Amino acid sequence: MRDMAKGEGSEQYSNASLLDNAKSGSTDGIKLAAKREGRDRLSVCNKLCYAIGGAPYQITGCALGFFLQIYLLDVAQLDPFYASIILFVGRAWDAVTDPCVGFLISRSPWTRFGRMLPWIMISTPFAVLCYFLIWYVPPFEDGKVIWYLVFYCLFQSMQTCFHVPYSALTMFISSEQKERDSATAYRMTVEVLGTVIGTAVQGQIVGMANAPCLPVLSVADKLNINNSSPLLMASEVNITHPVISLDHTKTAYMIASAAICAIYVLCAIVLFFGVREKPDSSRPRSEPMSFFQGIRMVMGHGPYAKLVMGFLFTSLAFMLLEGNFALFCSYTLGFRNDFQNILLVIMLSATLAIPFWQWFLTRFGKKAAVYFGTTSVVPFMILVVCVKSNLVVAYIVSFAAGIGVAAAFLLPWSMLPDVVDDFKVQNPDSQGHEAIFYSFYVFFTKFASGVSLGVSTLSLDFAGYVTRGCSQPAEVDMTLKILVSAAPIALILVGLCIFYSYPITEEVRQGNRKLLQELRENETDSETESTELSNIV
């Protein structure tokens, strides 16, 4: 009996011990879930470091978008036809490399630094070197076109190895949609600020050493100059700034590129040491797929295809405006010495408007923000070509246009994570393809940029553009008005028609968020059960 009592007592003690262990395991599970939720939250420092990593792409992209065309035509003195080939082929090559890099990233192994960050750091020194050489005028004439084409394509390839993994990094800094949206808002603010820096550094340095223009002479004037003495010929050519030579302008472009290269390296270092890449632990990655399977997968997802096609047309509209606005201000409006300041006003206005658009899309939804934000720039596109040339009006229109530019910056990158989340909900067994989604969006954006630059430069060539001319023929002025007003407005309207059928509304987005949260909670519950079982054992 004593033994039986002892056995019962020990059994009761064992059961009580198991209950205590179970309670302890449950408490540990709750703590684990709370700790996991805390890990998914990003500090302000993390968000700032992540956002700073987006500045190099916008700084270099803004400098190239606003100034490369006028640099090739007026400083490198290339024929407009060859300049259009360089711009189009470079952008087309850049567009082709995006899905290739995205495919390679999706198959790259995980390292102790993550999967995206090594690509960013390794590509940085090569991108900086190629960017600097783009703005260097070689001392020979025969191979000048090849020089710019090669280094432009190489820079775009290295930039792709930076930007595609950086874009996909959004999905790996946190699993919480709210945290990703907040980090995206930080990123867009810094990126628009990057365009301000790019415009300010490139524009102000180059603006202090504008290339001297040459008057457009008639046939009779040319005959008179040919019959005159060399001294008279020199006096007939009216150079607005005789102290500044073309060599000074070339040096100014190189100084500006060196400053931008230093900023590029600094931002990459801040990103690498300030951001921790987290693996997507909700589900294991799918088996690697071929390149063409990846194309079919992303383009077969309806919401993604509509989002990309809609932003393809709106991006093409803003890139036409961006690529030709410097020439439009210089020649059509006659503000040759003020165009860099006008561009700076646009970018400053866009920077200030980013918080407003973040509030607007949170309050009224992202789809409403697309319609309101994109169409807000249309009246000012019309006004700038209809009102007679006036510097004050140009500044007012530029400030107002910057508000629409801010929406064009923010909304695509804010809506892409929603599409990826929608794909995860509809294809729960297919995971780990974020880089492919982001790379194809970047592909279409850069394709639009290449088309806009190539078409606009060819159009100027057909219209009779005069290199380094103080004025341009009437046909060139009309072409520039079409490129910065009529054509962008038509493309915006096409893009908005496509967005009308975009299926991810606020209700769908919130539903996807809840479903993904349930998947993560189930994963957390399974981890909690494993913890309880191990504690009991």
Side-chain angles (χ1 to χ4, degrees):
M1 291 289 293
R2 189 180 303 169
D3 292 339
M4 290 178 62
K6 183 186 280 189
E8 290 176 358
S10 64
E11 184 178 355
Q12 290 174 359
Y13 175 78
S14 177
N15 290 335
S17 177
L18 286 175
L19 286 172
D20 290 340
N21 286 334
K23 290 179 181 178
S24 176
S26 178
T27 304
D28 290 341
I30 295 172
K31 290 180 179 178
L32 177 66
K35 186 176 180 182
R36 183 189 184 113
E37 183 180 356
R39 282 202 309 266
D40 287 334
R41 292 180 180 173
L42 299 173
S43 67
V44 174
C45 181
N46 292 140
K47 294 175 184 178
L48 283 175
C49 290
Y50 167 72
I52 287 172
Y57 179 76
Q58 294 300 335
I59 292 173
T60 56
C62 184
L64 290 170
F66 279 132
F67 295 96
L68 183 59
Q69 185 181 44
I70 198 169
Y71 167 80
L72 292 176
L73 293 174
D74 288 355
V75 180
Q77 298 184 359
L78 296 181
D79 184 87
F81 176 75
Y82 293 117
S84 67
I85 290 177
I86 292 171
L87 295 171
F88 178 75
V89 173
R91 284 295 188 174
W93 171 259
D94 184 24
V96 170
T97 58
D98 280 307
C100 297
V101 170
F103 172 72
L104 293 174
I105 292 172
S106 66
R107 297 178 67 93
S108 60
W110 189 271
T111 68
R112 67 190 184 97
F113 300 110
R115 191 164 68 244
M116 308 297 169
L117 291 174
W119 283 82
I120 292 172
M121 290 308 296
I122 292 173
S123 63
T124 295
F126 300 102
V128 165
L129 177 63
C130 294
Y131 180 81
F132 180 79
L133 293 176
I134 289 174
W135 302 102
Y136 172 71
V137 180
F140 47 81
E141 290 294 330
D142 292 339
K144 192 181 288 187
V145 175
I146 301 299
W147 172 280
Y148 288 114
L149 184 61
V150 168
F151 284 110
Y152 189 43
C153 290
L154 285 176
F155 169 73
Q156 298 291 7
S157 300
M158 295 300 103
Q159 180 80 311
T160 297
C161 293
F162 183 103
H163 187 58
V164 170
Y166 174 76
S167 301
L169 190 62
T170 309
M171 305 300 296
F172 296 96
I173 56 176
S174 176
S175 60
E176 293 294 325
Q177 187 182 82
K178 184 178 179 181
E179 293 296 312
R180 294 201 304 260
D181 286 345
S182 177
T184 300
Y186 274 81
R187 171 190 168 188
M188 290 302 105
T189 304
V190 173
E191 286 195 359
V192 176
L193 185 62
T195 63
V196 174
I197 295 172
T199 306
V201 171
Q202 189 86 9
Q204 298 304 315
I205 294 176
V206 171
M208 292 186 295
N210 268 330
C213 64
L214 300 175
V216 180
L217 302 176
S218 64
V219 176
D221 292 333
K222 291 179 181 179
L223 291 175
N224 290 334
I225 290 178
N226 289 333
N227 295 329
S228 303
S229 65
L231 184 61
L232 182 60
M233 288 175 61
S235 63
E236 288 288 334
V237 177
N238 178 27
I239 305 219
T240 56
H241 297 285
V243 178
I244 300 175
S245 67
L246 188 59
D247 290 333
H248 290 111
T249 305
K250 295 176 182 179
T251 304
Y253 272 100
M254 292 180 64
I255 293 172
S257 66
I260 289 177
C261 288
I263 298 173
Y264 193 117
V265 173
L266 180 62
C267 292
I269 292 173
V270 171
L271 173 66
F272 184 78
F273 289 103
V275 174
R276 181 172 173 267
E277 186 178 346
K278 301 172 184 178
D280 186 6
S281 58
S282 61
R283 284 181 178 268
R285 293 180 67 198
S286 305
E287 290 296 322
M289 60 177 61
S290 69
F291 178 73
F292 293 104
Q293 285 176 329
I295 295 177
R296 287 195 299 270
M297 178 193 69
V298 298
M299 297 311 297
H301 188 56
Y304 178 79
K306 291 175 181 177
L307 181 74
V308 167
M309 293 306 295
F311 279 121
L312 172 65
F313 283 95
T314 56
S315 298
L316 182 57
F318 282 100
M319 287 174 184
L320 274 176
L321 179 65
E322 177 190 58
N324 295 281
F325 200 68
L327 290 172
F328 177 76
C329 291
S330 298
Y331 296 115
T332 304
L333 298 182
F335 303 139
R336 181 178 178 84
N337 297 321
D338 297 289
F339 77 89
Q340 66 271 11
N341 298 324
I342 295 174
L343 299 180
L344 188 59
V345 168
I346 293 176
M347 295 299 106
L348 282 172
S349 172
T351 304
L352 297 175
I354 285 287
F356 166 76
W357 288 117
Q358 178 65 21
W359 168 83
F360 188 95
L361 65 87
T362 304
R363 178 69 177 82
F364 299 102
K366 298 181 180 180
K367 196 170 180 179
V370 168
Y371 279 95
F372 190 77
T374 308
T375 54
S376 65
V377 75
V378 171
F380 304 104
M381 287 181 175
I382 298 173
L383 184 63
V384 76
V385 298
C386 292
V387 176
K388 189 177 180 180
S389 178
N390 184 293
L391 187 58
V392 176
V393 173
Y395 277 115
I396 294 173
V397 170
S398 299
F399 184 85
I403 299 174
V405 172
F409 269 104
L410 175 64
L411 292 173
W413 298 110
S414 180
M415 296 172 75
L416 269 174
D418 300 337
V419 175
V420 177
D421 285 344
D422 185 73
F423 178 83
K424 288 181 177 181
V425 169
Q426 297 187 23
N427 303 273
D429 296 325
S430 183
Q431 302 293 327
H433 307 305
E434 292 84 358
I436 299 178
F437 278 96
Y438 278 83
S439 65
F440 270 94
Y441 172 72
V442 178
F443 162 77
F444 284 109
T445 303
K446 292 180 178 178
F447 177 78
S449 177
V451 170
S452 67
L453 288 172
V455 169
S456 59
T457 311
L458 273 178
S459 301
L460 293 174
D461 186 26
F462 293 147
Y465 179 84
V466 179
T467 301
R468 291 178 58 200
C470 291
S471 61
Q472 297 292 337
E475 293 81 3
V476 173
D477 290 338
M478 178 59 65
T479 302
L480 288 170
K481 288 181 179 180
I482 294 173
L483 292 173
V484 301
S485 181
I489 290 172
L491 292 168
I492 286 173
L493 294 177
V494 173
L496 293 180
C497 290
I498 296 174
F499 275 119
Y500 183 77
S501 61
Y502 178 66
I504 301 181
T505 60
E506 286 302 298
E507 293 77 12
V508 173
R509 190 171 72 88
Q510 294 299 331
N512 289 340
R513 185 183 65 82
K514 291 179 181 178
L515 289 172
L516 288 174
Q517 187 65 31
E518 289 176 1
L519 289 175
R520 297 187 186 100
E521 288 175 356
N522 291 335
E523 183 70 19
T524 303
D525 290 341
S526 64
E527 289 184 4
T528 303
E529 291 173 1
S530 300
T531 304
E532 291 177 357
L533 182 60
S534 63
N535 287 335
I536 291 172
V537 172

